[in-house]
Amino acid sequence: MPISSLSTIPLSHLPSKRGLAGLRRASGPTLFTSRIRMSIGSHDETSSRPLYLGIDFGTSGARFALIDKQGAIHSEGKRTYPPVGNAMNWASSWKEALFHLLGDVPSIYRASISSISIDGTSATTLIIDRNSGELLAGPFLYNESFPDALPTVESIAPVNHTVCSGSSTLCKLVSWWKSNSVHDSAVLMHQSDWLLWLLHGEYGVSDYNNTLKLGYDPEIDSYPSWLMAQPYSHMLPSVRAPGAPIGPVKEDLRSQFGFSKNCVVCTGTTDSIAAFLAARTTEPGKAVTSLGSTMAIKLLSRVRVEDARFGVYSHRLDNMWLVGGASNTGGAVLRQLFTDDQLLALSRDIDPSVPSPLDYYPLPKKGERFPVSDPSMVPRLQPRPDSDAEYLHGILESIARIEANGYNLLKDLGATAVQEVFTAGGGARNEKWTAIRERVLGVPVRKAEQTEAAYGAALLALKGSFSSV
């Protein structure tokens, strides 16, 4: 069952998914459930209907969506990550969130879950000892850069290859390899690989979306010879299609959570691709912008486009290419400046039909990874006007310009021109921002019927369940 065929279910047949309101600010240091929602039905009906669980691990929290084969949502929920004291604590934080989410799935549904898939942030990397399961290094987060490894990577990879970026997975691997003793038992795992491994127990299994920034070539379905010739090639994970069955849920977890013995764990994908899948968009020229803590753009194109100078890369999606990039601009910047209540109140005072004269480059302290608007890539949020509504207007419009410049760059590099943009993530719920973006982009912009990456991950679980039959 190809991924695109999952998109043939009419959107009108799907329930409107209520997500989390606005661009939520973390409201405290404790792990908490923002929302658990479930549909109402008889116990007999629930227990006899196969269900598919998708879990999204984003930059600020994790979500789950539980669907049936028609795409109807039966339950959904969210957890924020526990506090993190150092880099390695990210792993324990994610693990804790995962098992809390599994416990949040209503017990009446768990025995009916046929398959599970998880998405994670692109290029978030861990080094694991395959004999003991010990975390040897990392996690190295999606936006961490390793410029020390870049000259080495550039010397072995083709010019302007996707891996020729300091934040690529391969740069993270090379940097670790150069600074550590050789570990014959070491294996590289991406965030979603590792989380899925906690469920199925098989080391070193990944998908061709996550491994793109490691150097995997989805066009030839293998690692290229220049990568396999390296001394660390034994650390590369095996690669399957997103949503491919890996194996059953481990017996102890089946017992703990009440899953059936037939529940299958499937390969995952990246969070931005899962968000694209959730929108069920299948035509070239259609795009999805994910507006969460950061911004990712994905455009369905007939042509594959790659250029590491701009962080542009193409993921395979059946017989087409999902072309895109990501910027560190987005909701994280807004959270530093405004509360949820302020965002709602100030947005009411914005006239989206009037261009803002303010020119900002809204970035967190870590800087940019998508240099399409400002070659200097230096955060710029000044001058600040007296009016907070004008200030917010200027920031929202500046983020929209980064988005527009991104889609224009993809066209200049040879991708299919954007014709319509669907929006996923928290930013999709700000109608004034949507109107600003539509004016700046010059194409229709609307909220996707399903806006959360967890829904896309659930579609992959559905795909995997069919594949395992």
Side-chain angles (χ1 to χ4, degrees):
M1 186 179 191
I3 295 174
S4 61
S5 67
L6 296 175
S7 303
T8 59
I9 304 173
L11 289 174
S12 59
H13 292 178
L14 298 178
S16 178
K17 183 171 186 260
R18 297 174 298 167
L20 301 169
L23 291 154
R24 288 203 180 273
R25 172 188 294 265
S27 59
T30 58
L31 185 73
F32 72 100
T33 302
S34 295
R35 173 178 295 169
I36 301 296
R37 185 168 73 89
M38 58 184 289
S39 62
I40 304 299
S42 69
H43 182 271
D44 289 342
E45 178 187 10
T46 299
S47 61
S48 62
R49 178 182 299 176
L51 299 173
Y52 312 93
L53 178 63
I55 304 177
D56 162 52
F57 275 76
T59 54
S60 57
R63 297 173 172 83
F64 80 84
L66 187 65
I67 67 172
D68 60 28
K69 66 180 180 180
Q70 282 75 38
I73 298 171
H74 288 250
S75 183
E76 56 186 341
K78 178 193 175 185
R79 290 268 178 171
T80 56
Y81 299 137
V84 176
N86 58 58
M88 284 198 171
N89 282 346
W90 274 113
S92 59
S93 177
W94 297 333
K95 180 179 179 179
E96 185 175 342
L98 171 63
F99 288 111
H100 274 92
L101 281 176
L102 293 175
D104 289 341
V105 177
S107 57
I108 62 168
Y109 292 142
R110 295 180 200 166
S112 299
I113 296 175
S114 294
S115 50
I116 302 171
S117 186
I118 298 175
D119 71 75
T121 52
S122 177
T124 294
T125 309
L126 306 91
I127 307 296
I128 306 294
D129 187 318
R130 68 170 71 242
N131 292 330
S132 65
E134 177 189 358
L135 179 62
L136 299 176
F140 306 122
L141 301 183
Y142 67 96
N143 57 357
E144 287 188 70
S145 183
F146 293 80
D148 63 295
L150 192 54
T152 301
V153 170
E154 289 177 332
S155 71
I156 61 173
V159 176
N160 294 332
H161 193 280
T162 304
V163 299
C164 297
S165 165
S167 61
S168 73
T169 313
L170 186 56
C171 276
K172 290 164 182 168
L173 171 57
V174 170
S175 179
W176 177 82
W177 181 268
K178 291 168 62 177
S179 59
N180 288 270
S181 301
V182 176
H183 291 277
D184 292 336
S185 60
V187 61
L188 181 145
M189 300 180 81
H190 302 88
Q191 181 186 30
S192 62
D193 303 340
W194 183 76
L195 290 163
L196 289 164
W197 164 73
L198 293 174
L199 302 183
H200 61 69
E202 184 176 339
Y203 287 102
V205 180
S206 191
D207 62 273
Y208 59 59
N209 292 152
N210 269 300
T211 52
L212 186 74
K213 294 181 181 179
L214 183 56
Y216 188 83
D217 189 338
E219 199 161 9
I220 62 174
D221 268 334
S222 68
Y223 290 108
S225 57
W226 58 262
L227 183 55
M228 293 305 296
Q230 304 309 312
Y232 42 79
S233 61
H234 67 278
M235 294 180 59
L236 304 179
S238 64
V239 181
R240 306 181 190 182
I246 302 173
V249 175
K250 293 191 293 186
E251 185 175 357
D252 60 328
L253 295 181
R254 293 202 307 266
S255 176
Q256 178 180 350
F257 293 105
F259 298 137
S260 79
K261 66 179 181 180
N262 297 319
C263 184
V264 174
V265 181
C266 304
T267 52
T269 186
T270 67
D271 54 350
S272 60
I273 290 182
F276 189 95
L277 294 175
R280 298 190 166 194
T281 301
T282 60
E283 298 175 19
K286 300 300 177 72
V288 173
T289 296
S290 299
L291 286 173
S293 298
T294 57
M295 178 178 70
I297 64 172
K298 289 284 187 289
L299 169 69
L300 203 56
S301 172
R302 294 186 178 91
V303 180
R304 183 182 184 183
V305 171
E306 308 268 346
D307 198 321
R309 295 174 300 170
F310 304 104
V312 171
Y313 49 90
S314 293
H315 286 281
R316 198 176 99 193
L317 195 61
D318 293 333
N319 61 346
M320 287 187 283
W321 294 96
L322 197 54
V323 183
S327 169
N328 286 334
T329 193
V333 179
L334 294 172
R335 289 192 191 99
Q336 294 172 3
L337 300 168
F338 304 103
T339 66
D340 285 346
D341 290 342
Q342 287 173 326
L343 285 171
L344 290 171
L346 295 173
S347 293
R348 297 189 192 103
D349 296 330
I350 293 174
D351 183 350
S353 67
V354 177
S356 170
L358 299 170
D359 181 21
Y360 300 136
Y361 204 95
L363 290 173
K365 292 181 180 180
K366 283 186 178 291
E368 182 58 298
R369 51 180 169 152
F370 195 35
V372 295
S373 296
D374 186 343
S376 69
M377 297 181 289
V378 175
R380 186 175 68 254
L381 288 167
Q382 298 293 333
R384 178 167 184 163
D386 293 335
S387 167
D388 285 342
E390 290 179 17
Y391 190 44
L392 176 60
H393 187 176
I395 294 172
L396 296 180
E397 185 141 342
S398 296
I399 295 174
R401 282 195 293 269
I402 296 173
E403 179 186 8
N405 288 335
Y407 284 118
N408 288 335
L409 173 67
L410 300 186
K411 179 183 176 183
D412 291 343
L413 292 174
T416 302
V418 64
Q419 298 174 1
E420 184 177 19
V421 175
F422 296 86
T423 312
R429 298 174 189 92
N430 189 317
E431 294 181 0
K432 295 293 183 72
W433 197 4
T434 298
I436 290 171
R437 293 170 53 230
E438 188 168 68
R439 170 172 52 78
V440 173
L441 270 68
V443 299
V445 177
R446 61 188 179 94
K447 179 182 175 181
E449 184 75 13
Q450 301 296 337
T451 64
E452 297 295 352
Y455 187 87
L459 290 177
L460 283 181
L462 169 59
K463 172 179 178 284
S465 180
F466 275 83
S467 300
S468 63
V469 172

